[in-house]
């Protein structure tokens, strides 16, 4: 099959099979997404983050924990020979620490999404589908979490659990699910009385099967968009916990902790804190651009 015939097959208005219909819809979604150059920039940044995290041992020229000679390699400025972004107070290469820190950032983002998204979907779809006292109890619990700023609530949980990257991930995940629950509930309320849901009930489908087989897939696209847009907030929260000493602990190369360590030298050795700050800014911007692009493509209410 040539490229032209393959394209025509994917864009056919009369698909001959379910597989062709699904592949055609995915291809149209990709074409729409590709036309948004800002979304493609965001996708490129996110893919670069993943690639850097996977190849950190290859890309980083130095060990992220061990420093060099304190007499000759301490506080070297950016573009020094052998040190692209300079060195810190312990003669550690900042570029290598930022590269290895991308692994921690990606780990936090992925684990928080994996933990918080199913919780939000479960709570939101259950509340929206059953209504009544179930809806009231679940939404009041959700309101309690939403009443506190995310960082403040995460600080409280980390203070109770103890400092560390694992506890920081748990704390951020616990504070991240309420918006997803609200969104999933709103989507569920609009479809719970639809004809296909009533048909499934008449066929004897259980509530669990309807929720996970029919309702949840329809809520998933909106929740994925919200999760992608929240990635920047998750990164900033993790960096904030690291900055306060409650996230990743030294000598781990976490970007927030690197900023905290470099703030003492901000006047004279500005690059120590500035370089990880730029990394946080670029990655956060990438996730925001990617989320905006996904919203334009996947959210039917946002389409013109």
């Amino acid at each position: 099959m040539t490229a032209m015939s393959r394209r025509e097959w994917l864009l056919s208005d009369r698909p001959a099979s379910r597989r062709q219909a699904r592949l055609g819809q995915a291809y149209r979604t990709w074409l729409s997404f590709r036309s948004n150059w800002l979304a493609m920039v965001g996708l490129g940044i996110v893919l670069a983050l993943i690639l850097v995290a996977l190849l950190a041992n290859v890309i980083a020229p130095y060990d992220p924990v061990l420093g060099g000679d304190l007499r000759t390699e301490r506080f070297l400025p950016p573009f020094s020979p052998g040190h692209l972004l300079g060195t810190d107070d312990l003669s550690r290469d900042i570029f290598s620490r930022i590269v290895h820190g991308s692994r921690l950032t990606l780990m936090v983002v992925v684990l928080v999404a994996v933990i918080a998204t199913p919780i939000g979907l479960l709570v939101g779809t259950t509340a929206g589908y059953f209504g009544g006292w179930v809806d009231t109890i679940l939404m009041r619990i959700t309101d309690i979490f939403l009443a506190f700023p995310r960082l403040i609530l995460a600080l409280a949980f980390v203070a109770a659990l103890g400092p560390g990257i694992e506890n920081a991930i748990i704390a951020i995940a616990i504070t991240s699910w309420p918006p997803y629950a609200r969104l999933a509930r709103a989507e569920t309320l609009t479809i719970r009385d639809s004809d296909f849901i009533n048909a499934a009930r008449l066929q004897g489908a259980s509530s669990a099967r309807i929720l996970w087989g029919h309702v949840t897939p329809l809520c998933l696209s909106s929740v994925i968009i919200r999760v992608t847009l929240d990635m920047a907030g998750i990164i900033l929260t993790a960096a904030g916990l690291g900055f306060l000493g409650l996230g990743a602990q030294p000598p781990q190369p976490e970007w927030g902790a690197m900023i905290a360590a470099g703030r003492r030298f901000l006047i004279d050795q500005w690059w120590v804190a500035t370089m990880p700050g730029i990394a946080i800014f670029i990655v956060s911007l990438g996730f925001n651009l990617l989320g905006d692009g996904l919203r334009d493509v996947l959210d039917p209410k946002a389409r013109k």
Side-chain angles (χ1 to χ4, degrees), residues 8-78:
E8 294 174 352
W9 182 78
L10 290 171
L11 297 178
S12 174
D13 294 333
R14 297 179 179 180
S17 64
R18 182 178 298 180
R19 174 174 172 269
Q20 182 180 358
R22 289 177 177 175
L23 291 176
Q25 180 60 37
Y27 184 66
R28 290 186 183 91
T29 301
W30 165 247
L31 291 178
S32 178
F33 181 84
R34 194 177 63 180
S35 64
N36 187 341
W37 69 272
L38 286 176
M40 292 299 294
V41 170
L43 178 62
I45 293 174
V46 173
L47 292 178
L49 171 68
I50 296 173
L51 187 63
V52 169
L54 292 175
L55 302 178
N57 292 330
V58 178
I59 297 174
Y62 300 97
D63 189 287
V65 176
L66 300 178
D69 191 341
L70 291 175
R71 294 170 299 177
T72 60
E73 297 181 346
R74 186 170 183 261
F75 287 134
L76 292 178

